[in-house]
Amino acid sequence: MNSENLRNACADASTAMAKLNLDAHADLRAKLDYCIGSYDYDKNPEGLYQYGKATLDELKKFKAKNPRKVNKKIIDNLEQALKD
């Protein structure tokens, strides 16, 4: 389990969500950003897993409707990091 990879994948996903600028995802992105900061402080990845999975689900749903707006690599990296 490499928590640093998960942290980086979550940060990339948060950036992608910010670029989409969707109000519906603002709360989820804020929680994910909080968990990234919390992980940087205490190295406990628990929140990253919880909100990383929720973010992955939302990005997949959005990509299904808007295939060109979400980079597949961001989804793949997040998916892989959650598995590790």
Side-chain angles (χ1 to χ4, degrees):
M1 172 169 71
N2 189 339
S3 300
E4 213 48 47
N5 284 348
L6 178 59
R7 183 243 178 256
N8 293 336
C10 285
D12 291 343
S14 177
T15 300
M17 288 178 73
K19 287 180 183 175
L20 297 174
N21 201 22
L22 300 175
D23 291 337
H25 298 134
D27 187 50
L28 177 59
R29 195 170 65 83
K31 289 176 181 173
L32 184 62
D33 287 344
Y34 174 83
C35 290
I36 292 167
S38 176
Y39 173 79
D40 288 344
Y41 178 74
D42 64 13
K43 300 299 181 204
N44 182 348
E46 200 62 35
L48 292 178
Y49 281 102
Q50 180 181 356
Y51 289 106
K53 175 137 180 43
T55 300
L56 177 62
D57 293 343
E58 289 301 316
L59 285 174
K60 282 183 172 182
K61 285 180 199 172
F62 187 82
K63 185 167 179 64
K65 294 176 186 172
N66 306 280
R68 295 179 170 254
K69 290 196 176 186
V70 179
N71 187 333
K72 184 176 179 344
K73 185 177 180 194
I74 289 172
I75 291 175
D76 290 345
N77 287 347
L78 186 55
E79 220 165 23
Q80 186 61 45
L82 286 166
K83 286 180 188 175
D84 288 347

